[in-house]
Amino acid sequence: DTAVSQTPKYLVTQMGNDKSIKCEQNLGHDTMYWYKQDSKKFLKIMFSYNNKELIINETVPNRFSPKSPDKAHLNLHINSLELGDSAVYFCASSQLADRTDTQYFGPGTRLTVL
Amino acid sequence: RKEVEQDPGPFNVPEGATVAFNCTYSNSASQSFFWYRQDCRKEPKLLMSVYSSGNEDGRFTAQLNRASQYISLLIRDSKLSDSATYLCVVNIDDSSYKLIFGSGTRLLVRP
């Protein structure tokens, strides 16, 4: 009964490929996020969706495209992968409507681009 | 200047020690403040929120100084299981709940 789940856990791929990471939450939250944690351990927000609507869109290359088919899912598609995309990508969710503070994170997807 | 700054450590302390971490933030309009904990190769998890009057949760005490834009975390009676990276986190925009994470302070508690 994992609260926030991501697949795959590990992803190793060649430069130039296109890949997707999936995220699902069963907490009934209205808001979901994608974060990138690089080799220096900085955790940085990329996107946020509230009720399937994009509310945060940081300066991220347009090779990255999030998609939220419903409130419980937020997927991340990455086109033309580059070496610098290697990082751990975390999905998270929270209940923005209740003004609660806690964001719950998934276990992360470790992406390695060769 | 980084939006949230922390000493990366590592802080290497014996079991039972008291250790304190500090964090500064640059945006004076920041609304809410948190400490998250991240174990090696795991996801971040909320440790505690930080309130203006200061707050305590067991062995953990958090303080906020808005005038100096400074947040602290004090851990008393350190346990081996406290070994982790502690992330200082600031919410600069309550409407979209955008969290800014510090790069973390690593704590190693030795027997």
Side-chain angles (χ1 to χ4, degrees):
Chain A
D1 59 344
T2 307
V4 183
S5 59
Q6 295 179 228
T7 54
K9 193 167 181 182
Y10 298 96
L11 188 51
V12 181
T13 189
Q14 299 284 338
M15 261 192 339
N17 284 349
D18 303 339
K19 289 293 177 186
S20 291
I21 308 172
K22 296 187 176 183
C23 178
E24 177 180 359
Q25 54 96 0
N26 63 6
L27 297 167
H29 287 165
D30 59 7
T31 306
M32 296 183 72
Y33 312 79
W34 276 112
Y35 288 86
K36 178 181 180 181
Q37 188 168 41
D38 60 25
S39 56
K40 293 182 181 175
K41 304 302 181 188
F42 261 110
L43 193 64
K44 195 163 181 195
I45 183 84
M46 300 173 69
F47 301 103
S48 173
Y49 273 74
N50 175 255
N51 285 317
K52 301 197 301 174
E53 185 181 333
L54 185 66
I55 58 170
I56 296 175
N57 185 355
E58 292 296 288
T59 308
V60 176
N62 57 15
R63 298 182 295 104
F64 290 78
S65 50
K67 280 192 173 51
S68 182
D70 55 58
K71 280 196 328 181
H73 296 85
L74 180 61
N75 304 323
L76 183 65
H77 188 76
I78 316 171
N79 289 328
S80 304
L81 278 155
E82 299 177 358
L83 293 177
D85 297 333
S86 295
V88 182
Y89 292 84
F90 286 102
C91 176
S93 73
S94 70
Q95 185 61 13
L96 199 62
D98 288 351
R99 317 298 301 164
T100 58
D101 298 334
T102 305
Q103 288 191 12
Y104 294 86
F105 284 78
T109 295
R110 189 170 295 271
L111 172 65
T112 303
V113 182
L114 303 175
Chain B
R1 184 184 170 188
K2 290 178 191 163
E3 291 180 278
V4 179
E5 292 206 62
Q6 296 181 249
D7 179 345
F11 285 62
N12 192 325
V13 303
E15 265 187 296
T18 295
V19 61
F21 307 137
N22 301 323
C23 165
T24 57
Y25 60 96
S26 60
N27 190 330
S28 58
S30 297
Q31 301 290 321
S32 27
F33 310 88
F34 314 92
W35 285 100
Y36 274 69
R37 170 192 168 133
Q38 187 172 23
D39 292 294
C40 189
R41 301 180 78 87
K42 297 285 188 181
E43 70 273 22
K45 291 182 180 176
L46 179 69
L47 178 67
M48 59 196 303
S49 300
V50 186
Y51 302 120
S52 297
S53 53
N55 48 298
E56 192 173 303
D57 182 1
R59 298 181 293 109
F60 299 85
T61 301
Q63 297 278 355
L64 168 64
N65 184 324
R66 282 189 187 270
S68 303
Q69 294 178 205
Y70 169 99
I71 305 158
S72 66
L73 177 68
L74 182 79
I75 306 176
R76 288 182 300 278
D77 188 24
S78 299
K79 311 288 183 197
L80 294 176
S81 56
D82 293 334
S83 297
T85 297
Y86 291 83
L87 305 169
C88 177
V89 184
V90 173
N91 178 7
I92 63 171
D93 180 359
D94 248 5
S95 62
S96 64
Y97 201 52
K98 177 179 169 181
L99 296 185
I100 306 297
F101 284 75
S103 58
T105 298
R106 193 160 167 228
L107 172 65
L108 300 171
V109 181
R110 63 181 188 271

